[in-house]
Amino acid sequence: MRCNNFFIKRKANLCSSNIHSAQKIFFFSLPFFEYFSPAFMNIFPIPSSTNAISPQEQLLTRYLFFFVLAVCLLVSGARLSSSDENAIFLLTESIVTRGALDIPANIIGNGSMFEGKFYIWAEIGEALLAIPFYIAGKLITSVLPLSENLRLLALKAIVSTMNAFFGAMLAVVLYRSLRKFSATVRTAMFLSLTLCFGTFMFPYLKTIMRDVQLALLLLGSVYCLYEFRQSLRIRWLVFAGICAAFGVLNKMVFALNIPFLAAYLILIAGKENVSRLKSTFYFSLPFLGTLLIMAAYNYLRFNNFLESGYHGGTSFPTPLFVGVFGLLLSPGKGLFFFAPITILLLWSAKLFFKKFREEALLLYALIIANVLLYAKYVAWGGDGSWGPRYLVAILPLLIVPLGIFLDAATQSVKRIAFLLAVIGVLVQCGGVSIYFGNYLRSIGEYPYTKQFEDAEFMERSHFNPAFSPITGHWAMLVRNAEEHLSGNIPQLIPQEATSTQRIPLAEKDQQQLLHTFDYWFTYGMYAGFSRIVLLSAFALGSVAVSILFFIMYRLMKHVHSDALLSMEGRSV
């Protein structure tokens, strides 16, 4: 109650003060930042009345969080390259520095002009999430002895780590979800790490693209609803609603998931003999805040509460069989190629349905609905990206049913699962080491030569096995490694940087990007910084990550054994 009063007073003060409208949107959304992520509830756990985990397991989840974060930071590209990333950066910069929502025109194409100002099409949720990272970056770079040119690049590098944090949070929420659905400690840890490093989730942890955030919010909502079913505590309904509401604020099409989440809530409320009306009310309450923020965001840009300004790809002309095949089985975008572990869902779905009928219906409905929607979408491949980008949000849902399946499986099946995870890691090595736009440029498919609606749009990289990004990235990786070892290392001289530039390099230097590795320390080498210092820093980071993994692994074995003994004791 004290926290709620604090938020009410803070909002009242803002309404009465002379403050920029964009800043009001940010401050009104602060409760989302402080409450939306169930990952924080597990890193810094709030006691639960059901299935309480031991202090040792709580410590294990913290190690999991920091291990995933450390790996992501170690392999970070420390850059913002795509138009979507730069659009969000520019919007965030405008909100923080000018209290405005427009950005400089003629920099990116995904926006609209209105009354002489340029506004991006993206929803405001992602920019709100980026604000703390932008502010942290400004504070850090202000005390570093850097030129103005390098200070901006360092600021972008800090902002680029955003999804590393959300990915670490996602790993924790998936771990806790798997444990809730009866997976053992060892299996839950294995699948959580596989999600982050053995699926096409991994390369997106190096970006600020919102797909990782959507995955966290969707799984977080499912997790909180199941927690409510077990504990019947209203707060879990509110948490679930906040996750779902912020998902819509982050990407409007996330609303596709809301009817399925609400239907599950109504179903379990009836089974648990609690008021359906009351439960739905508490779950829906956060959506009022989302609607208000969205309406204000639209009005402040276009003087219209309902006008989002979006005029991008909004059609769904793709033949269903083409989109489904492309998303699941094509050599250039297929789910089962870019996330091999998900193949096991074909065998685990039945067992999970038998053990958790209502939850299985929810997960499978969410998976099918998202696949069918994006299969029809004009840009179903989410192009200029690694793997089926639009399916990143449902990747954790595909992993959840594997937990109890693997625990009940034979040793042969477990070895197959481990092999699939290793193959997945090897696949992602290509996507993590080579920036995905560079490969498309190397085969002539970017800049685009055809429209999205064209049946031959990016046909080679989508459907021709000879041009699959999986093999193509590895071929570039091997070639670039040979060039580096022979001393042929690109030299990139950053031009005078401004926040309106996507890539502060001359045209001739941009061509050299095809021969680079997408890591922070290699970019530093290309820019002329000391190779010895950079490689030493990377080596020390690698040792630290290895030590962290060793400690986490030893703790996991201990917690796993204790959990098994505890289960045996209860069964006796």
Side-chain angles (χ1 to χ4, degrees):
M1 181 63 68
R2 183 167 52 194
C3 290
N4 292 336
N5 290 337
F6 171 69
F7 290 134
I8 292 171
K9 291 177 181 178
R10 176 166 56 188
K11 292 178 181 179
N13 291 335
L14 284 168
C15 289
S16 62
S17 62
N18 183 18
I19 189 169
H20 288 294
S21 54
Q23 290 171 320
K24 287 184 181 180
I25 292 179
F26 166 57
F27 284 112
F28 269 83
S29 65
L30 278 177
F32 285 98
F33 289 105
E34 299 176 53
Y35 287 114
F36 88 90
S37 175
F40 282 126
M41 290 180 273
N42 295 289
I43 299 170
F44 307 101
I46 299 172
S48 176
S49 61
T50 58
N51 294 343
I53 63 176
S54 67
Q56 290 274 30
E57 192 167 357
Q58 291 178 9
L59 179 61
L60 180 62
T61 60
R62 295 187 183 97
Y63 272 111
L64 174 61
F65 174 87
F66 288 111
F67 175 74
V68 173
L69 176 61
V71 172
C72 292
L73 295 180
L74 185 65
V75 301
S76 169
R79 47 91 188 119
L80 300 177
S81 299
S82 72
S83 59
D84 288 344
E85 289 179 291
N86 279 274
I88 293 300
F89 177 83
L90 291 171
L91 175 58
T92 305
E93 183 178 59
S94 291
I95 293 174
V96 174
T97 61
R98 300 190 294 116
L101 297 172
D102 62 296
I103 69 169
N106 303 320
I107 305 303
I108 56 174
N110 46 349
S112 300
M113 292 292 298
F114 181 76
E115 295 184 349
K117 295 183 178 181
F118 187 81
Y119 300 97
I120 69 171
W121 291 333
E123 294 83 350
I124 197 171
E126 187 178 3
L128 294 178
L129 293 176
I131 286 175
F133 295 89
Y134 183 91
I135 293 175
K138 291 291 283 187
L139 293 174
I140 294 172
T141 55
S142 67
V143 299
L144 294 178
L146 299 173
S147 65
E148 287 299 319
N149 189 37
L150 294 177
R151 183 168 285 114
L152 177 60
L153 295 178
L155 172 59
K156 288 187 174 183
I158 293 171
V159 174
S160 75
T161 65
M162 182 168 75
N163 275 350
F165 286 85
F166 290 123
M169 293 163 62
L170 177 60
V172 173
V173 179
L174 178 60
Y175 173 87
R176 290 295 295 130
S177 299
L178 288 162
R179 292 287 286 137
K180 285 289 181 182
F181 292 119
S182 302
T184 60
V185 171
R186 183 166 55 193
T187 298
M189 184 65 68
F190 165 71
L191 290 174
S192 298
L193 293 175
T194 300
L195 170 71
C196 292
F197 306 127
T199 73
F200 55 98
M201 177 77 68
F202 193 9
Y204 292 101
L205 300 182
K206 299 178 59 170
T207 73
I208 65 170
M209 300 180 77
R210 58 188 170 182
D211 307 275
V212 175
Q213 301 147 33
L214 296 175
L216 172 62
L217 293 167
L218 183 56
L219 180 63
S221 190
V222 171
Y223 174 85
C224 291
L225 285 176
Y226 188 63
E227 274 280 12
F228 168 73
R229 182 176 190 180
Q230 291 192 310
S231 67
L232 299 182
R233 291 187 175 185
I234 294 298
R235 72 177 184 194
W236 290 110
L237 286 180
V238 178
F239 288 142
I242 290 174
C243 287
F246 206 97
V248 176
L249 194 64
N250 199 302
K251 187 176 184 179
M252 200 174 301
V253 76
F254 189 92
L256 168 73
N257 303 303
I258 307 305
F260 300 104
L261 296 170
Y264 169 76
L265 173 59
I266 293 172
L267 178 62
I268 63 172
K271 286 183 172 292
E272 304 299 333
N273 296 318
V274 297
S275 170
R276 290 174 174 172
L277 182 61
K278 183 179 178 181
S279 299
T280 304
F281 170 77
Y282 282 109
F283 175 72
S284 304
L285 196 58
F287 287 91
L288 177 61
T290 287
L291 292 175
L292 291 174
I293 294 173
M294 290 175 62
Y297 181 54
N298 291 337
Y299 184 80
L300 292 171
R301 294 182 299 162
F302 304 111
N303 289 336
N304 187 329
F305 292 113
L306 302 179
E307 176 59 64
S308 69
Y310 187 81
H311 301 293
T314 55
S315 59
F316 296 84
T318 306
L320 186 61
F321 73 91
V322 173
V324 171
F325 174 79
L327 289 172
L328 301 182
L329 296 171
S330 67
K333 287 289 180 180
L335 169 75
F336 296 130
F337 291 105
F338 285 86
I341 195 72
T342 58
I343 295 173
L344 296 179
L345 182 65
L346 301 176
W347 289 270
S348 63
K350 183 178 180 180
L351 176 61
F352 189 76
F353 179 78
K354 182 179 178 181
K355 296 285 187 179
F356 304 97
R357 185 178 299 268
E358 292 80 18
E359 290 70 34
L361 289 174
L362 172 61
L363 296 188
Y364 301 160
L366 291 170
I367 292 168
I368 292 171
N370 279 270
V371 170
L372 293 180
L373 174 72
Y374 288 115
K376 288 290 296 177
Y377 186 48
V378 63
W380 58 268
D383 285 298
S385 59
W386 179 254
R389 175 166 65 91
Y390 293 131
L391 299 190
V392 168
I394 62 170
L395 261 178
L397 307 186
L398 295 164
I399 299 293
V400 167
L402 305 187
I404 58 172
F405 169 74
L406 290 179
D407 282 328
T410 63
Q411 286 299 318
S412 297
V413 172
K414 291 179 180 178
R415 292 190 186 99
I416 292 173
F418 181 77
L419 178 62
L420 290 172
V422 172
I423 293 173
V425 171
L426 293 176
V427 168
Q428 312 322 315
C429 283
V432 170
S433 300
I434 305 295
Y435 179 66
F436 29 75
N438 289 346
Y439 174 68
L440 296 179
R441 287 181 182 274
S442 71
I443 62 173
E445 293 221 307
Y446 188 85
Y448 303 140
T449 58
K450 300 180 184 296
Q451 298 298 316
F452 286 130
E453 294 82 2
D454 195 312
E456 295 182 349
F457 175 75
M458 301 194 76
E459 181 181 31
R460 289 194 299 175
S461 63
H462 284 172
F463 299 111
N464 189 334
F467 292 95
S468 170
I470 295 176
T471 55
H473 275 240
W474 263 98
M476 291 183 71
L477 189 158
V478 172
R479 182 202 66 189
N480 292 357
E482 292 175 347
E483 292 176 352
H484 282 59
L485 291 174
S486 65
N488 188 14
I489 299 177
Q491 299 296 313
L492 304 177
I493 303 175
Q495 294 181 321
E496 183 176 351
T498 67
S499 61
T500 59
Q501 289 178 295
R502 283 182 55 185
I503 304 175
L505 295 172
E507 185 64 31
K508 61 181 181 64
D509 285 342
Q510 290 188 30
Q511 295 301 316
Q512 293 190 68
L513 290 174
L514 301 184
H515 301 270
T516 62
F517 288 108
D518 190 32
Y519 298 118
W520 59 269
F521 59 94
T522 53
Y523 286 133
M525 291 165 51
Y526 306 147
F529 289 97
S530 171
R531 297 179 187 178
I532 295 177
V533 172
L534 290 168
L535 291 176
S536 297
F538 176 74
L540 288 174
S542 300
V543 171
V545 168
S546 300
I547 294 173
L548 184 59
F549 176 79
F550 177 75
I551 295 172
M552 182 179 70
Y553 179 73
R554 291 288 300 270
L555 180 60
M556 182 271 293
K557 291 177 64 176
H558 177 71
V559 173
H560 179 73
S561 299
D562 285 352
L564 291 180
L565 290 174
S566 178
M567 290 176 60
E568 291 176 1
R570 287 198 298 268
S571 64
V572 173

